[in-house]
């Protein structure tokens, strides 16, 4: 990544263009429904938002998300508009019939820089069960291959919870087979429909991250985690054990620090998984909200973190998932309950475990 001053701009801004989606995924943050919300940002409002986002600086990365962004009939137009004004536009469509070969090609022609598809099981049965729609696996894999044919770089997103963890090695193989450039592995945050799923335990999360560290060193595609910034701590410690230096770059991405999320109705959240608003783009500039709102400024102060996260020497490398802390405790500055690491000098209270037994 090009160095970014995350006090001034996010690495990535996600715009949830709609919550409409044909799928009924078990983990859905948005509680998506088949119908579009009547108060969604209009095409004109969306283009005004993209004009405002351009103020962050050259090449700002924008992700059009959902729901299913292709449930809107103007998504290709929005990609083309954002591209024309100098934004790096990417899209995360759902694996449904809307993601046709023609739709992939239209996005490519509009200048989309990357397409992200979700694969949460290594087989049609496991993926379709998780996604709540028969045929989703086949549609997703076909769309991934269409993206490659259209010359659009592919990202694969995978959710980690107790239902999917055993499939990760096989999904890794599929990511390789599809020629993806990036595997983005999302560690479940208990919001939306995801509240009823079983997260993995902190101990198993550590094992999964050790596996992902191996994958990142062995595969040609990149690996990143979402809502699991302690992957950077795991990688740093593993590198030190191998006798090398660890990835100690400042910051990375956590909610409100390098990351911003605009909801379908224009609310500006630090993350889609931390639904506290700093303002609304219908009334305020998203740039001003990101830079100056009390909520976002607080989340960027790593020395103000509480509990063992605040005492951790990795807090500026990691920072913990602020979204998970908020979902579990109600306090976005509390310790991330998925991280098992306890700093040697820390003797205060530990967060309640988010998941079940350590050997799950």
């Amino acid at each position: 990544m090009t160095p970014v001053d995350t006090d001034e701009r996010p690495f990535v801004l996600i715009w949830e263009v709609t919550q409409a989606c044909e799928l009924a995924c078990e983990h859905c943050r948005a509680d998506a429904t088949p119908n579009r919300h009547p108060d969604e940002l209009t095409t004109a409002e969306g283009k005004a938002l993209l004009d405002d986002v351009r103020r962050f600086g050259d090449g700002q990365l924008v992700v059009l998300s959902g729901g299913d962004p292709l449930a809107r009939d103007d998504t290709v137009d929005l990609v083309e508009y954002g591209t024309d004004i100098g934004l790096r536009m990417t899209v995360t469509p759902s694996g449904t019939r809307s993601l046709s070969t023609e739709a992939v090609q239209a996005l490519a022609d509009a200048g989309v820089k990357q397409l992200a598809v979700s694969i949460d099981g290594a087989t049609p049965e496991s993926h379709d069960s998780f996604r709540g729609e028969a045929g989703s696996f086949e549609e997703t894999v076909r769309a991934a291959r269409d993206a490659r044919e259209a010359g659009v770089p592919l990202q694969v997103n995978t959710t980690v919870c107790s239902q999917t963890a055993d499939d990760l090695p096989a999904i890794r193989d599929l990511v390789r087979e599809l020629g993806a450039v990036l595997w983005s592995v999302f560690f479940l945050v208990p919001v939306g429909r995801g509240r009823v799923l079983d997260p993995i335990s902190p101990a198993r999360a550590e094992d999964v991250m050790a596996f992902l560290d191996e994958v990142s060193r062995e595969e040609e595609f990149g690996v990143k985690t979402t809502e699991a910034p302690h992957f950077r701590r795991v990688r740093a410690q593993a590198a030190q054990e191998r006798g090398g230096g660890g990835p100690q770059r400042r910051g990375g991405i956590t909610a409100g620090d390098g990351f911003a999320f605009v909801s379908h109705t224009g609310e500006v959240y630090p993350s889609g998984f931390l639904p506290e608003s700093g303002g609304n783009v219908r009334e305020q500039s998203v740039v001003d909200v990101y830079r100056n709102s009390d909520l976002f400024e607080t989340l960027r102060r790593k020395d103000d973190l509480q509990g063992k996260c605040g005492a951790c020497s990795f807090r500026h490398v990691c920072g913990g998932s602020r979204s998970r802390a908020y979902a579990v405790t109600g306090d976005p500055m509390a310790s991330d309950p998925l991280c098992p690491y306890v700093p040697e000098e820390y003797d205060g209270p530990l967060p309640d475990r988010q998941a079940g037994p350590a050997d799950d």
Side-chain angles (χ1 to χ4, degrees), residues 4 29 48 82 165 185 204 207 209 225 227 255 267 283 309:
V4 167
R29 166 202 58 77
V185 184
R204 191 165 190 194
D207 291 339
M209 291 182 193
T225 57
E227 297 299 351
E267 299 296 336
E283 302 165 354
C309 278

Side-chain angles (χ1 to χ4, degrees), residues 229-233 251 253-254 302 314-321:
H230 42 295
F231 181 48
R232 294 193 285 273
R233 186 258 306 160
I253 297 175
T254 55
K302 297 297 189 288
F314 290 97
R315 64 187 178 277
H316 291 288
V317 176
C318 165
S321 169

